[in-house]
């Protein structure tokens, strides 16, 4: 069996993201290809994941789609207990099964930028209006300072003198 290769392809939609209990991703449409090759007592899994994921915009909280394209490699060995490190996984020999769903999710999420923001003009105008309405002190002059802060400024100037 050494040297044999098997290739698995799957389409992952909103049901997949719900099943893995995705916290950052609300949904999406991914295509994953996993090539499994056995080399002696190790299985080498090469992943290729591409498609789009749906996340919340950091400004307006509306849904937005982001492209995902990534590849990864994981070494899998059989052992006594489950163990995982950066690029290898040991699964119990009694089980002999690796659920790659979480590995695919992690690979996809790691390609998403830290900041999710719509293109200019893409944010929800109603939400932007509400955000501006509720923002305190942005763009206001010193004359509109809350009176409590004025009292604190007096105390501060006393210490300077």
């Amino acid at each position: 069996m050494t040297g044999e290769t098997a290739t698995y392809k799957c389409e992952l939609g909103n049901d997949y993201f719900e099943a893995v209990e995705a916290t950052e991703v609300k949904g999406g449409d991914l295509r994953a290809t996993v090539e499994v090759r056995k080399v002696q007592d190790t299985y080498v899994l090469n992943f290729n994941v591409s498609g789009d994921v749906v996340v919340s915009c950091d400004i307006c909280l509306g849904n937005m789609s982001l492209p995902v394209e990534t590849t990864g490699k994981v070494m899998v060995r059989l052992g006594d207990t489950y163990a995982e490190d950066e690029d290898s996984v040991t699964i119990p020999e009694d089980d002999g099964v690796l659920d790659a769903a979480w590995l695919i999710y992690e690979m996809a999420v790691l390609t998403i930028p830290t900041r999710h923001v719509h293109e200019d003009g893409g944010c929800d105008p109603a939400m932007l209006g509400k955000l501006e309405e509720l923002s305190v002190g942005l763009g206001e002059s010193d004359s509109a300072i809350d009176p409590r802060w004025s009292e604190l400024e007096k105390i501060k100037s006393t210490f300077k003198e």
Side-chain angles (χ1 to χ4, degrees), residues 10-85:
C10 55
E11 300 283 327
L12 307 169
N14 293 334
D15 292 341
Y16 162 75
F17 291 103
E18 191 174 308
V20 296
E21 298 176 357
T23 55
E24 187 171 347
V25 178
K26 294 182 168 194
D29 181 26
L30 296 179
R31 289 162 301 290
T33 303
V34 182
E35 180 186 273
V36 180
R37 186 169 36 95
K38 185 173 183 189
V39 179
Q40 295 176 357
D41 64 341
T42 302
Y43 294 89
V44 180
L45 281 65
N46 289 303
F47 292 85
N48 186 337
V49 180
S50 63
D52 295 298
V53 293
V54 177
V55 296
S56 294
C57 174
D58 292 339
I59 295 175
C60 73
L61 304 178
N63 287 345
M64 60 181 290
S65 182
L66 291 175
V68 169
E69 178 111 17
T70 188
T71 59
K73 181 179 185 178
V74 176
M75 312 292 270
V76 179
R77 292 179 185 82
L78 298 174
D80 295 330
T81 60
Y82 183 86
E84 189 176 333
D85 59 29

Side-chain angles (χ1 to χ4, degrees), residues 62-134:
N63 287 345
M64 60 181 290
S65 182
L66 291 175
V68 169
E69 178 111 17
T70 188
T71 59
K73 181 179 185 178
V74 176
M75 312 292 270
V76 179
R77 292 179 185 82
L78 298 174
D80 295 330
T81 60
Y82 183 86
E84 189 176 333
D85 59 29
E86 198 167 309
D87 61 351
S88 70
V89 175
T90 302
I91 57 173
E93 197 165 353
D94 296 340
D95 292 344
V97 175
L98 173 69
D99 183 358
W102 188 253
L103 294 172
I104 293 169
Y105 175 75
E106 284 181 334
M107 287 181 194
V109 168
L110 288 173
T111 66
I112 299 172
T114 308
R115 189 162 191 254
H116 319 136
V117 180
H118 281 108
E119 297 283 328
D120 287 340
C123 282
D124 179 5
M127 184 60 90
L128 289 178
K130 194 68 170 170
L131 182 63
E132 189 173 321
E133 176 186 318
L134 296 174

Side-chain angles (χ1 to χ4, degrees), residues 135-147:
S135 295
V136 177
L138 296 178
E140 295 178 3
S141 67
D142 287 338
S143 62
I145 292 179
D146 185 324

